[in-house]
Amino acid sequence: MTQKDITFVADFLTEHFNEAPELYNRKGKYFNVERVGQYLKDEDDDLVSPPNTEGNQWFNFLKNSTHLKESPLLFPYYPEKSLHFVKRQMEGVIDQCLQKPADVIGKSVHQAVCMSLYKISQSEDSTPQLCKLPFLWNDKTSNIHYVLFTILENSISKIHILRRHTDTSRSVSNGILAVEFGNILNNSINESLDSRCYSCLDAHFYDDETVTVVLKESVEQEGKERVLAQLPLS
């Protein structure tokens, strides 16, 4: 240790561990503890050295405000407690606020339809992620909800479009369909290459009538083609 370190520790001890007769009546509390650390203790005991709020502008403002003094919107202040205590109090209030909406929303949600997309072996230890890039879109004009996704196993050249009416009592034709890209783009890129196959990297709705997709060549080679295509839903 350097002399500077020793001086720092000595100054710390001198400042914070002077005898404090006013604390003698407290069990085991005969010295001033470090004033920052006391706020971080995870206990419900009162602070040994509570802060001095005299002259604090915020407290004076609250004290002189008739409307804010008893407002339920302001979180109560506990000048004698640590931050851990205040944190637990705040978490309890937040949990109480969220409980009612959670109950109401939970009771209002129900399954509209169940659709089997794929099957996996039950002997596998962990379920692989077979659905990729699900993107949601709500067509407010026709009240139809869309989900775009791909299935990674053996249909990477397909993009699936699931659509449901926002009114669960109504149905729409072709509730789910798949669009396969394969080599349908060859004529627009290079007519001499008829072996090109494309898979979908990403897909989003551009507007209510158009889907934008990013495609790549499926062959394993350098310089793969990337294609940005816009497909009309019709």
Side-chain angles (χ1 to χ4, degrees):
M1 296 177 64
T2 65
Q3 185 61 40
K4 184 177 181 181
D5 295 330
I6 297 174
T7 303
F8 177 79
V9 174
D11 291 342
F12 178 86
L13 294 175
T14 303
E15 179 182 354
H16 294 293
F17 288 88
N18 290 328
E19 289 191 12
E22 69 274 9
L23 301 177
Y24 284 172
N25 293 330
R26 294 199 181 188
K27 184 174 62 176
K29 308 293 186 182
Y30 299 119
F31 302 95
N32 283 323
V33 298
E34 198 269 312
R35 286 176 170 79
V36 175
Q38 63 177 347
Y39 289 102
L40 306 178
K41 292 182 179 179
D42 192 4
E43 56 188 32
D44 292 339
D45 294 340
D46 291 348
L47 297 176
V48 176
S49 300
N52 181 13
T53 59
E54 184 178 352
N56 185 292
Q57 295 180 352
W58 173 249
F59 292 117
N60 292 339
F61 171 70
L62 292 182
K63 191 184 300 181
N64 298 326
S65 173
T66 306
H67 300 290
L68 290 179
K69 190 183 300 183
E70 304 297 332
S71 173
L73 300 178
L74 291 179
F75 195 79
Y77 177 60
Y78 302 95
E80 304 288 334
K81 298 296 184 180
S82 71
L83 293 178
H84 278 283
F85 176 86
V86 176
K87 175 176 176 286
R88 285 196 299 271
Q89 294 292 110
M90 181 174 287
E91 286 175 341
V93 172
I94 293 174
D95 289 342
Q96 186 179 4
C97 291
L98 296 179
Q99 187 59 46
K100 187 67 175 179
D103 292 341
V104 173
I105 295 173
K107 292 176 182 177
S108 67
V109 174
H110 64 277
Q111 178 178 300
V113 64
C114 181
M115 198 173 295
S116 178
L117 297 178
Y118 54 81
K119 292 183 180 181
I120 60 173
S121 173
Q122 295 183 354
S123 62
E124 296 184 28
D125 295 334
S126 59
T127 303
Q129 179 192 2
L130 292 182
C131 270
K132 187 185 176 187
L133 57 95
F135 178 75
L136 310 180
W137 179 267
N138 183 249
D139 183 353
K140 295 181 176 61
T141 304
S142 56
N143 296 324
I144 294 179
H145 196 67
Y146 290 92
V147 183
L148 294 179
F149 62 93
T150 57
I151 298 179
L152 299 181
E153 199 166 39
N154 55 7
S155 56
I156 57 174
S157 62
K158 295 179 182 178
I159 181 171
H160 296 75
I161 303 177
L162 170 67
R163 60 179 187 170
R164 296 286 303 173
H165 204 286
T166 53
D167 181 357
T168 55
S169 63
R170 302 177 59 184
S171 61
V172 294
S173 59
N174 297 328
I176 184 170
L177 54 85
V179 178
E180 183 167 10
F181 300 104
N183 55 7
I184 60 173
L185 299 173
N186 286 348
N187 290 335
S188 62
I189 296 177
N190 191 333
E191 293 184 359
S192 63
L193 296 177
D194 57 0
S195 60
R196 294 194 181 192
C197 186
Y198 292 89
S199 59
C200 184
L201 280 178
D202 201 0
H204 283 236
F205 267 80
Y206 181 76
D207 55 29
D208 289 342
E209 301 174 352
T210 311
V211 177
T212 300
V213 294
V214 179
L215 305 173
K216 73 168 183 175
E217 276 189 273
S218 300
V219 293
E220 294 293 336
Q221 66 180 28
E222 292 291 331
K224 294 179 182 178
E225 291 272 12
R226 294 294 192 274
V227 179
L228 181 68
Q230 289 196 301
L231 308 177
L233 276 180
S234 58

